[in-house]
Amino acid sequence: MTNDTAFTGYADPSLHAKGLYIAGKWEAGTGIPVTDPSSGKTLVEVPDASIEDAMRAVDAAEAAAADWRETSPRERSEILRRWFTLMSEHAEELALLISLENGKALADARGEVTYAAEFFRWYAEEATRIGGEFRHTPSGAHNILVDHEPIGIAVLITPWNFPAAMATRKIGPALAAGCTVILKPASETPLTAYAMARLGEEAGVPPGVVNVLTTTNPGPVTSAMLADPRVRKLSFTGSTGVGRTLLAEAAKTVVYCSMELGGNAPFVVFDDADLSAALDGAMVAKMRNGGEACTAANRFYVQSGIHDAFVKGLTERMSGLKLGAGYDPDTQCGPMITTKAVDKIDRLVSEATSRGARATTGGAPLDGSGYYYPPTVLENVPTDAALAHEEIFGPVAAIYRFDTEEEAIRLANDTEYGLAAYVYSRDIMQAMRVGRGIETGMVGINRGLMSDPAAPFGGAKQSGQGREGGVTGILEFMEPKYFAVEF
Ligand code: NAP
C-alpha cells in the first residue's frame, strides 16, 4: 500500500500508514491518494472506509467502552503520558511526515508536534483531577451532589491544517474523561493520524479505545455514525459550512457537539504600539503554517499614524521569506494544501486589486509544479473586499487604515466569525478595552500567538461552540450527573 521510496530520507517507515485502525487491528487498502503539495505527486494511497467500516469502528468503540471508563484515572493518565513521551521521541519523524503531506515548513511542523504532544501531557495531568461538586440547597434542607461521567462514544473529525494537534486536542481529553473514540482525519493528511495511532498502540491504548478511519465519503459515513444511538458526542474542527451541516445532522439524535470552526481574525495596531514587536507578532499571526491557520490574522487594521511604517516593515519581512518544499530545512513558507486553495487566494487577491488594493510584494500565484502562492502584502484594501469577509487561508496580509478606537472595534466585529483577534498598543487599558469590545473567543494582547494546551481555545459567533484545552476541555467529554442525596 505504501510507496516507501517516496518517503526515503523523510520519515521513519515504521510510522507509515498502516490502513484503517479498528479494534486495534490495521486494515490495508487503497482509494485515497495522498499528495505532496510541493510537487503535486502522489505519495501513497490509504484506504477509503465505507459506512460498514464506520459501523465496525462504532462496534469496536462500544466493545472497549465499559472497560475503558472503569480504568482508574491514574491508569488513563499514564497511558497518555507515555503517548506524550513517544511523540516527543518521534518528533522529528512526525514533523517530516506533516511537512510531506501538508506542505508546511519544517519549523512549523516541529512546532506543531510539540504543541500536539503537549495535549497528551496536559490531559495526562487533568485525568487525575476530574472534580465534582457538593452544595446545600438554598433551603438548607437537602444536598446536591454532582458527578461527571464520561459522555460515551465520541466521533472526532479533524482538518488538514494541523493534522497532529487537532487530533490530540480531542483524543487527549476524550481518553482522559474515559471515552472511546473514532477519529476521522482529513483526506489530505491521513498519514500523521495513522502514525500517531501507531504510537498510541505502543503507549498501551487498548484495542478499540481509539479507532481511525479515512474516507472519501465523509457526509454519509458521519451521518451513519451519528444516527447510531451508541454515539453520544461529535467533536468537529473544520470549516463553518461543514460545521453547520453537522450540527443539523447531530440534531436528529441530539448528539452533543463541540465545534471549532473558521476564523477571520482582525489584527489591530494602534499608533503607540511598539512597531518592531507588532511586526514580529504580525509575522507569527499571519505566517504560521503559511497562513493556513484558523487563528491567522486575516485583516490588519492599522492606525493612520503608524500605517506607512507598518506597511513598509511588513513588506520587507514578507518579501524576505524563502518559499519552497516544507521538508527543505531552509524553507520558511511552504506550498498551499491544494491547487483549489491557490485558486481561492488568487480570486480574493484579484478581486481586491481590481477594486484599488495595491500589492507591495507578491500578488499573483507562481508558475510551475507545486501549489505555491508567494507571501503577499496588500495596502489600500476596501473594507468591503471579499477577503475582508472570507478566510484567505494563505500568506496574504491585507492592510486597512483606521483612525479611531471605535472605528477599529466596529471594523473588527464586521464579520460572522469570532475566533481570534490581536491588539497591539502600549496603552494596556486601551488594549484591554478594545479586546473586550471585539466579539471573539480569544484575544492576543501584544502577542501574535495564543494557542496553549493549558488555555481554553475556541470561538464566539459562527466560529464555534465549546472550548478545547485548558481545565474545561475535559468537560466537553463528560456529562454532569446530579444526585439528590438525603443524609
Ligand atoms: P473542512 O472542509 O470543513 O473539513 C474538515 C473535516 O471535515 C475533514 O476531515 C473533512 O473530510 C470533513 N468533512 C468534510 N465534509 C464533511 C461532511 N459533510 N460530514 C462530515 N465530515 C466532513 O475544513 P478543512 O478545509 O479541512 O479545514 C480548514 C477549516 O478548518 C478552516 O475553516 C479553518 O478555519 C478551520 N479550522 C478551525 C480550527 C479551530 O480550532 N477553530 C482549527 C483548524 C482549522 P475530508 O477531508 O475527507 O473532506
Side-chain angles (χ1 to χ4, degrees):
M1 175 191 47
T2 49
N3 171 12
D4 280 351
T5 53
F7 296 89
T8 307
Y10 295 127
D12 175 353
S14 73
L15 290 180
H16 290 180
K18 304 286 182 196
L20 304 180
Y21 185 55
I22 300 174
K25 296 208 167 55
W26 295 95
E27 302 178 11
T30 53
I32 306 182
V34 183
T35 305
D36 171 0
S38 69
S39 64
K41 292 194 179 125
T42 299
L43 293 166
V44 58
E45 284 200 23
V46 297
D48 186 0
S50 63
I51 289 176
E52 292 69 33
D53 294 325
M55 298 323 290
R56 285 193 299 111
V58 175
D59 291 343
E62 165 75 2
D67 283 351
W68 183 247
R69 68 187 280 150
E70 290 309 320
T71 53
S72 68
R74 178 66 70 206
E75 198 177 334
R76 298 200 293 273
S77 167
E78 283 174 358
I79 289 172
L80 286 171
R81 177 69 197 208
R82 279 200 294 277
W83 207 347
F84 158 77
T85 304
L86 284 165
M87 277 189 73
S88 307
E89 286 170 7
H90 291 273
E92 199 55 22
E93 293 97 316
L94 289 170
L96 285 162
L97 208 49
I98 292 172
S99 282
L100 203 57
E101 64 175 352
N102 166 285
K104 69 175 72 175
L106 254 188
D108 284 331
R110 289 179 178 131
E112 181 183 348
V113 175
T114 305
Y115 174 53
E118 284 296 339
F119 282 102
F120 286 155
R121 176 151 70 171
W122 175 259
Y123 283 107
E125 291 158 354
E126 291 299 293
T128 59
R129 293 180 194 140
I130 299 167
E133 191 183 324
F134 174 80
R135 63 180 69 210
H136 303 290
T137 58
S139 69
H142 308 288
N143 302 307
I144 295 170
L145 187 66
V146 182
D147 191 12
H148 289 112
E149 297 186 336
I151 204 163
I153 296 174
V155 171
L156 317 176
I157 302 179
T158 52
W160 48 264
N161 67 335
F162 285 95
M166 297 304 95
T168 59
R169 204 165 76 176
K170 298 181 189 306
I171 296 171
L175 263 56
C179 298
T180 57
V181 306
I182 298 136
L183 171 68
K184 198 222 77 68
S187 299
E188 289 90 349
T189 55
L191 306 181
T192 307
Y194 284 128
M196 288 197 309
R198 264 274 305 106
L199 295 176
E201 203 177 22
E202 203 174 321
V205 175
V209 170
V210 174
N211 306 276
V212 187
L213 295 175
T214 38
T215 178
T216 53
N217 207 14
V221 162
T222 307
S223 296
M225 290 193 283
L226 295 179
D228 188 308
R230 295 172 295 176
V231 171
R232 295 308 314 144
K233 173 79 189 183
L234 169 65
S235 180
F236 172 76
T237 298
S239 60
T240 295
V242 173
R244 285 190 197 110
T245 303
L246 288 174
L247 281 166
E249 277 302 293
K252 294 177 185 163
T253 36
V254 195
V255 168
Y256 271 95
C257 291
S258 296
M259 292 277 149
E260 296 286 347
L261 308 178
N264 181 7
F267 189 104
V268 182
V269 186
F270 284 95
D271 282 344
D272 73 341
D274 176 332
L275 178 63
S276 160
L279 289 168
D280 287 348
M283 289 302 288
V284 177
K286 179 72 253 180
M287 291 307 295
R288 190 164 70 116
N289 271 6
E292 294 176 317
C294 54
T295 51
N298 213 50
R299 300 168 289 150
F300 287 85
Y301 296 116
V302 185
Q303 205 164 17
S304 291
I306 199 171
H307 176 273
D308 292 355
F310 186 86
V311 172
K312 182 168 176 287
L314 197 62
T315 302
E316 279 167 12
R317 290 174 189 230
M318 292 283 274
S319 59
L321 293 177
K322 186 170 181 311
L323 206 64
Y327 43 84
D328 175 343
D330 293 333
T331 294
Q332 292 168 299
C333 178
M336 301 293 96
I337 188 75
T338 54
T339 41
K340 202 170 142 211
V342 175
D343 292 346
K344 179 184 175 188
I345 299 166
D346 189 29
R347 169 177 65 78
L348 291 172
V349 171
S350 301
E351 195 259 359
T353 50
S354 74
R355 299 182 52 213
R358 190 176 77 86
T360 59
T361 184
L366 301 180
D367 292 333
S369 63
Y371 313 143
Y372 290 100
Y373 198 95
T376 294
V377 177
L378 297 176
E379 65 170 350
N380 197 33
V381 184
T383 54
D384 61 349
L387 49 56
H389 299 282
E390 289 181 45
E391 276 188 295
I392 304 169
F393 239 57
V396 177
I399 303 180
Y400 312 77
R401 188 190 286 267
F402 75 90
D403 290 308
T404 66
E405 186 179 308
E406 294 68 30
E407 188 187 358
I409 294 173
R410 180 177 54 73
L411 288 168
N413 286 336
D414 184 18
T415 171
E416 68 190 19
Y417 296 104
L419 187 63
Y422 306 86
V423 183
Y424 273 77
S425 168
R426 280 201 177 91
D427 177 351
I428 192 68
M429 298 302 283
Q430 177 179 55
M432 287 302 293
R433 197 166 56 237
V434 172
R436 288 206 176 90
I438 298 179
E439 299 155 343
T440 55
M442 300 176 288
V443 184
I445 302 283
N446 295 320
R447 279 202 62 190
L449 178 67
M450 55 192 45
S451 304
D452 192 309
F457 188 105
K461 292 159 77 175
Q462 295 192 37
S463 285
Q465 297 178 351
R467 295 293 181 267
E468 292 189 326
V471 290
T472 54
I474 197 166
L475 296 178
E476 303 272 328
F477 292 93
M478 308 204 84
E479 182 141 51
K481 182 177 276 184
Y482 155 50
F483 293 90
V485 190
E486 241 15 278
F487 58 84

